[in-house]
Amino acid sequence: MRTTPILLILGLLVVAAEAQAEVSPPRMLADRPAAHCQAPRWSPDGLNIAYDVYDPKKDTRETWIVSFTADGRKSGDKQVNAGSGRASGLLGGRKPPVVELEWAPDMKLLSKPYVFSSVGARKNFDLFADGDWLTTNMGNDGQPSWSHDGRFIAYASQRKQSGDIYVLDLGGDMEKPIQATFFATATEFRPKWSPTKNYLLFTRSEEGSRGQDIALVIDVKRPMDTTQDVTNWSGDEIRPSWSPDGRRVAFYSNKGRKSSESKIFDLWVVDIDGQNARQLAKEVVVDDQGGPAWTPDGQFVLYVKQDFKRDNPVRWVKLDGSAGGILQTGTQLNSDLSLFSRGDDIFLAFKALGQKGSTEKTWERLFM
């Protein structure tokens, strides 16, 4: 793997309705032969990035962490392992996959400050953290999300026929997870905690033609009394992303599109009570893992435009829709944006199919 510890620094300058932004030259963070590097996730302190490596020929899924010093120099690169010898034996000697790593909100909370999903002795996916299994269910558990105060871990579970959201109360009875969703004819997944309160966002897929919607649990200890819709639209609303102040959600939707355009999505934003919905951009790329990326002041949203003539550029738009523009990243076919800020600087990690103009468009690489 080739790595270069130089950060992409963005200084957003709104000077016109179609403006450029100051961008330092991006450098490659991860590149694997015959494998995809995907889904970068910054740690809360900005000194680490976790990312996935998928090898389609070997059908292996790994998670790696690249670490940096405070001044941006690379200090290490390591693979994350569950360390389950028994699971390896059940899998024919192959290492158990490690997927969906989620950073702890406090990097000092655990000796290894993250939780992830991996295959245990039951040969299904469970949650693993700090050397031990957090769940041991018959069905698959995954997509962990850690609350901002470190008390709760929400996750999607298939312990029943349809998926539901469950919550581990790290300050309570760990043997009795809280069931947070109770929709009999729907599957709930992708839980995401608010950055300011213990409000839990999730996506609901309804049986029949209703599609996917976004909903919110105000109090996970009283979910049946405090669950409300954020969207209840025809079509699909997916990949919700909290604003930094926890008041709004940005997401992708095919609202208003014809059935022949069901795979074309637009960028929307809405208040968490479902009010003031507005479209910010048309025809966007739907990320494999995350969703739209907010700047720390909550005034701009970053996304990828579906524009093959321009190789799917990274774009930004002001929240009120009054301005927008392209980030000249020098890369092609971008996706999976992950943003971190320090002071006035904004650092962006993302995946792309190489530098702009390259004819090698098979394997996804990470850039920063």
Side-chain angles (χ1 to χ4, degrees):
M1 180 178 64
R2 299 186 296 274
T3 59
T4 307
I6 298 179
L7 303 183
L8 171 64
I9 304 176
L10 313 179
L12 296 180
L13 300 177
V14 181
V15 296
E18 178 67 19
Q20 298 295 326
E22 293 181 354
V23 184
S24 67
R27 299 298 177 92
M28 190 156 23
L29 173 67
D31 177 21
R32 300 295 179 84
H36 296 293
C37 298
Q38 307 168 325
R41 286 93 77 198
W42 287 96
S43 62
D45 60 6
L47 298 179
N48 303 271
I49 293 179
Y51 63 94
D52 300 340
V53 176
Y54 171 55
D55 186 326
K57 185 175 181 180
K58 297 179 181 178
D59 193 25
T60 58
R61 296 180 183 272
E62 303 171 349
T63 296
W64 287 73
I65 294 174
V66 58
S67 301
F68 299 91
T69 60
D71 60 358
R73 291 179 293 109
K74 181 183 175 183
S75 61
D77 193 10
K78 63 182 179 181
Q79 185 178 359
V80 178
N81 293 301
S84 174
R86 183 178 178 187
S88 178
L90 293 171
L91 295 171
R94 293 186 295 121
K95 287 184 178 180
V98 172
V99 298
E100 301 167 341
L101 183 145
E102 165 85 351
W103 291 102
D106 182 349
M107 295 296 286
K108 297 180 180 179
L109 189 62
L110 300 172
S111 61
K112 295 182 178 180
Y114 44 75
V115 60
F116 55 84
S117 183
S118 185
V119 174
R122 292 181 181 270
K123 296 186 70 174
N124 60 268
F125 282 87
D126 284 303
L127 300 188
F128 190 90
D130 217 23
D132 202 1
W133 296 99
L134 298 183
T135 63
T136 55
N137 298 314
M138 292 300 295
N140 291 321
D141 294 339
Q143 300 176 351
S145 177
W146 218 312
S147 64
H148 76 103
D149 61 0
R151 177 172 179 179
F152 299 109
I153 296 177
Y155 60 98
S157 179
Q158 291 179 316
R159 66 181 64 193
K160 297 180 181 179
Q161 186 173 4
S162 63
D164 294 294
I165 303 299
Y166 283 79
V167 175
L168 292 172
D169 185 350
L170 304 185
D173 188 351
M174 290 283 288
E175 300 298 322
K176 296 181 179 179
I178 303 167
Q179 185 173 348
T181 58
F182 294 87
F183 295 93
T185 60
T187 296
E188 296 84 53
F189 52 97
R190 293 187 183 274
K192 287 193 173 184
W193 294 97
S194 163
T196 60
K197 300 178 180 179
N198 284 339
Y199 290 2
L200 184 61
L201 202 69
F202 64 91
T203 304
R204 181 181 68 235
S205 180
E206 194 80 24
E207 292 181 1
S209 59
R210 175 169 172 165
Q212 300 180 62
D213 287 298
I214 301 167
L216 179 70
V217 182
I218 300 296
D219 184 350
V220 294
K221 291 197 169 183
R222 298 188 303 112
M224 298 190 74
D225 299 324
T226 65
T227 297
Q228 62 186 43
D229 286 335
V230 178
T231 66
N232 190 3
W233 306 351
S234 60
D236 295 314
E237 290 76 58
I238 58 177
R239 306 294 193 274
S241 176
W242 285 97
S243 64
D245 61 7
R247 296 171 54 193
R248 300 178 180 89
V249 177
F251 57 96
Y252 307 127
S253 174
N254 57 12
K255 173 182 173 65
R257 292 196 171 274
K258 299 179 293 185
S259 57
S260 60
E261 300 177 324
S262 62
K263 294 184 179 180
I264 299 176
F265 284 81
D266 307 310
L267 172 65
W268 288 74
V269 66
V270 68
D271 296 348
I272 61 171
D273 62 2
Q275 301 298 309
N276 300 316
R278 59 186 177 276
Q279 186 184 94
L280 294 180
K282 294 183 178 181
E283 298 186 17
V284 301
V285 173
V286 175
D287 304 293
D288 291 333
Q289 301 296 330
W294 293 80
T295 55
D297 60 4
Q299 293 302 306
F300 301 88
V301 180
L302 277 66
Y303 66 98
V304 176
K305 171 70 173 178
Q306 186 171 301
D307 182 351
F308 291 112
K309 289 184 178 179
R310 295 189 178 184
D311 291 318
N312 288 3
V314 179
R315 294 185 61 94
W316 58 270
V317 61
K318 196 172 182 181
L319 187 61
D320 62 8
S322 64
I326 294 178
L327 301 184
Q328 298 293 354
T329 62
T331 53
Q332 59 190 8
L333 301 177
N334 309 287
S335 186
D336 281 1
L337 308 182
S338 181
L339 186 148
F340 175 78
S341 64
R342 183 185 294 119
D344 293 332
D345 292 330
I346 299 175
F347 304 86
L348 183 69
F350 57 98
K351 75 176 184 183
L353 288 178
Q355 298 279 1
K356 201 171 184 64
S358 171
T359 57
E360 174 49 65
K361 299 183 179 180
T362 303
W363 306 111
E364 296 166 337
R365 306 165 179 87
L366 290 190
F367 289 84
M368 229 164 64

